[in-house]
């Protein structure tokens, strides 16, 4: 097979890049390890920055998002028994949209199908070859038969556990990592959300997040032990722990119900540099991971795609390699700011083992400053709604 851009991974990064390239008549083939149903079965992000929404609109797949997405102009932060709201439009003219990553992926799959996109699912043994030449190629197996894609460029959109990052030689890669001593236990329940905006709650008993997918589908998280297993958490125990971490006024309003999905995500901060090697370009989780606290994972994948799409377009359609030559440094400049915000909010809102009484007072003082200071709220709002591309 032959194409211009071979894309590894049919998550949001790979699908969005493929769809955007197609709008400029640039062909691609997307290789995905899992089945389409498996990809759609993942419950992940819930908040879209306006930059991500604009990209999906540019890709021609934002109609349902526009109809069903909930525009949020603020977020609530809780510290123990009290809570306060940060109003985004007091500081920046960009809201966020609450619309699940699962639905983004579904819309992208539909858009690729409608425009004749070439996606190959359930492939095995994907390997990237000759990335440092002007004729890279990708080999893989499908139904046990070996196959090959000759291409001009390879986009590594295959997430943290993919093959793309590791194709860059270890002596070239610089990796930065921080792991957190806790995880997030997430529950999806067919119950009305406890509040019409997200609530990020910090308390002496731990972190909680109240989110949603729509008016009758709620998404809740609590901080949990890093060694916990989702199957060890009965629904009642989850609801009790969630209420304990919320201000009483909010806990009293919580409508509980059976979980329809329950999973634990580990938390880590991770960046690999560079994000390109020859004609291989990394996007999204293949290059970086953030703790989900700042809702930056999916959104930073989107900004990578924005930069790579425009750089490939300049090169392929106009012969201008300037942006492509500098893709890694351009993308990393925004990645590191997202890493900082995600690390800062995670460090602020969670209980850490062996935290001293002084550490607790620092946490309370920082939240009190955020509650009472306009400049602090402006910095929060600019980062949460998404820094400019
Ligand atoms: P993805 O991991 O989504 O997609 C990579 C794709 O590549 C997958 O479909 C995978 O099957 C495929 N692949 C892997 N290896 C391959 C190979 N060798 N060959 C072919 N295909 C291969 N972000 C938030 O903003 N908020 C959240 O609440 C949140 N929760 C998360 C919970 C979990 C458990 C995880 C893992 C991530 C979460 N994230 C969250 C981050 C998440 O949304 C990612 O940022 C987002 O999926 C990034 O998209 P991609 O870069 O496309 O990577
Ligand atoms: C979600 O709705 O899943 C969600 C929202 C905001 C976050 C993390 C997860 O920061």
């Amino acid at each position: 097979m032959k194409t211009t851009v071979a894309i590894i991974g049919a998550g949001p990064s790979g699908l969005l890049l493929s769809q955007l390239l197609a709008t400029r008549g640039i062909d691609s083939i997307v290789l995905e390890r899992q089945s389409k149903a498996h990809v759609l079965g993942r419950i992940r992000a819930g908040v879209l920055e306006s930059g991500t929404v604009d990209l999906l609109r540019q890709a021609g797949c934002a109609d349902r998002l526009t109809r069903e997405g909930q525009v949020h102009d603020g977020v609530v932060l809780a510290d123990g028994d009290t809570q306060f709201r940060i109003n985004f439009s007091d500081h920046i003219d960009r809201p966020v949209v609450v619309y699940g990553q699962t639905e983004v992926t579904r819309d992208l799959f539909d858009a690729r199908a409608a425009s004749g996109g070439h996606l190959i699912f359930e492939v095995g043994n994907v390997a990237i070859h000759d990335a440092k030449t002007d004729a890279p190629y990708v080999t893989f197996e499908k139904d046990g038969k070996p196959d090959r894609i000759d291409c001009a460029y390879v986009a590594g959109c295959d997430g943290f556990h993919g093959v793309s990052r590791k194709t860059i030689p270890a002596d070239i890669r610089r990796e930065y990592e921080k792991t957190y001593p806790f995880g997030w236990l997430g529950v999806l329940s067919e119950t009305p959300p406890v509040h019409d905006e997200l609530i990020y709650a910090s308390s002496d008993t731990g972190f909680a997040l109240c989110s949603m997918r729509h008016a009758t589908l709620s998404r809740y998280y609590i901080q949990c032990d890093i060694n916990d297993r989702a199957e060890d958490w009965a629904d009642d125990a989850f609801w009790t722990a969630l209420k304990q971490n919320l201000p009483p006024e909010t806990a009293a309003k919580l409508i509980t119900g059976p979980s329809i999905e329950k999973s634990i995500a580990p938390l880590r901060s991770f960046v690999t540099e560079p994000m390109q090697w020859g004609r291989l370009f990394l996007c999204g989780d293949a290059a970086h991971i953030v703790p989900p606290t700042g809702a930056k994972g999916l959104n930073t994948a989107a900004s990578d795609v924005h930069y790579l799409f425009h750089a490939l377009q300049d090169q392929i359609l106009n012969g201008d390699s300037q942006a492509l030559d500098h893709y890694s440094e351009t993308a990393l400049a925004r990645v590191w700011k997202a890493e900082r915000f995600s690390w800062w909010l995670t460090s602020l809102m969670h209980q850490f083992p062996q935290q001293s009484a002084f550490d607790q007072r620092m946490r309370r003082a920082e939240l009190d400053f955020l509650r009472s200071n306009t400049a602090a709220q402006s910095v929060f709002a600019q980062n949460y709604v998404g820094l400019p591309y």
Side-chain angles (χ1 to χ4, degrees):
M1 281 179 273
K2 198 168 173 57
T3 190
T4 305
V5 185
I7 298 174
I8 303 175
S13 297
L15 292 171
L16 181 54
L17 178 63
S18 179
Q19 183 63 15
L20 285 166
L21 290 170
T23 65
R24 292 292 186 277
I26 299 171
D27 62 283
S28 63
I29 296 176
V30 181
L31 294 177
E32 169 54 49
R33 174 164 65 182
Q34 304 289 357
S35 69
K36 179 176 174 183
H38 182 101
V39 175
L40 284 173
R42 294 177 185 137
I43 306 295
R44 288 189 177 170
V47 172
L48 305 184
E49 294 176 356
S50 51
T52 304
V53 173
D54 293 346
L55 263 183
L56 289 164
R57 195 164 284 129
Q58 188 182 352
C61 46
D63 291 350
R64 191 160 71 100
L65 159 59
T66 306
R67 287 197 311 275
E68 298 175 14
Q70 302 166 54
V71 177
H72 283 202
D73 189 29
V75 71
V76 173
L77 296 178
D79 172 20
D81 291 351
T82 63
Q83 58 189 51
F84 62 96
R85 180 174 184 271
I86 294 180
N87 186 55
F88 301 143
S89 55
D90 289 348
H91 309 284
I92 192 143
D93 62 351
R94 293 199 308 274
V96 295
V97 175
V98 172
Y99 188 74
Q101 174 174 325
T102 309
E103 304 318 312
V104 171
T105 308
R106 195 188 314 281
D107 294 342
L108 285 164
F109 274 140
D110 292 348
R112 292 311 294 126
S115 45
H118 192 170
L119 281 61
I120 306 174
F121 292 97
E122 297 180 282
V123 300
N125 294 327
V126 173
I128 301 163
H129 308 270
D130 291 353
K132 291 289 272 183
T133 73
D134 60 1
Y137 64 96
V138 178
T139 57
F140 64 98
E141 283 172 10
K142 172 66 179 169
D143 302 329
K145 296 194 196 72
D147 211 331
R148 163 175 170 146
I149 300 173
D150 290 286
C151 54
Y153 305 96
V154 182
C157 302
D158 48 351
F160 187 69
H161 302 290
V163 298
S164 300
R165 181 174 70 253
K166 296 162 195 152
T167 300
I168 302 177
D171 63 337
I172 300 283
R173 276 184 282 139
R174 298 178 302 278
E175 297 191 347
Y176 306 84
E177 183 163 23
K178 178 181 184 60
T179 56
Y180 298 86
F182 39 75
W184 273 23
L185 169 60
V187 155
L188 207 53
S189 64
E190 289 172 325
T191 54
V194 70
H195 190 55
D196 57 3
E197 291 179 329
L198 273 67
I199 301 176
Y200 289 82
S202 176
S203 76
D204 293 347
T205 50
F207 169 81
L209 170 59
C210 302
S211 183
M212 73 285 288
R213 293 295 177 266
H214 51 66
T216 57
L217 189 61
S218 298
R219 179 68 167 165
Y220 294 106
Y221 297 92
I222 56 170
Q223 159 179 0
C224 68
D225 187 287
I226 198 166
N227 300 309
D228 279 3
R229 298 182 310 161
E231 55 267 31
D232 295 338
W233 274 87
D235 284 2
D236 288 349
F238 174 82
W239 294 120
T240 301
L242 177 66
K243 287 177 182 175
Q244 200 177 30
N245 292 358
L246 293 173
E249 65 171 295
T250 299
K253 289 187 283 188
L254 188 71
I255 297 174
T256 65
S259 61
I260 59 171
E261 192 271 350
K262 194 184 289 175
S263 54
I264 289 182
L267 270 62
R268 80 160 48 88
S269 299
F270 175 87
V271 179
T272 194
E273 294 184 353
M275 287 176 57
Q276 69 190 91
W277 188 63
R279 291 194 171 210
L280 169 61
F281 301 89
L282 306 182
C283 272
D285 280 16
H288 42 75
I289 296 286
V290 285
T293 323
K296 292 295 159 219
L298 173 58
N299 291 301
T300 310
S303 53
D304 292 347
V305 169
H306 163 85
Y307 296 128
L308 184 55
F309 162 59
H310 286 284
L312 285 169
Q313 182 186 213
D314 288 355
Q315 170 64 54
I316 294 164
L317 301 184
N318 310 322
D320 176 356
S321 70
Q322 171 78 9
L324 205 54
D325 295 343
H326 297 284
Y327 162 72
S328 179
E329 65 193 85
T330 305
L332 282 167
R334 193 176 189 276
V335 163
W336 278 113
K337 296 184 183 78
E339 290 284 343
R340 184 208 68 82
F341 178 68
S342 304
W343 157 80
W344 169 77
L345 193 56
T346 302
S347 305
L348 175 62
M349 299 300 283
H350 291 76
Q351 284 297 315
F352 285 70
Q354 289 91 45
Q355 205 157 24
S356 68
F358 181 81
D359 295 332
Q360 293 287 6
R361 296 305 284 172
M362 287 298 97
R363 181 177 63 81
R364 306 294 298 277
E366 176 117 30
L367 277 166
D368 196 33
F369 183 65
L370 196 51
R371 174 203 314 272
S372 57
N373 184 279
T374 303
Q377 293 200 4
S378 177
V379 168
F380 181 99
Q382 291 177 60
N383 280 279
Y384 193 85
V385 304
L387 298 176
Y389 286 179

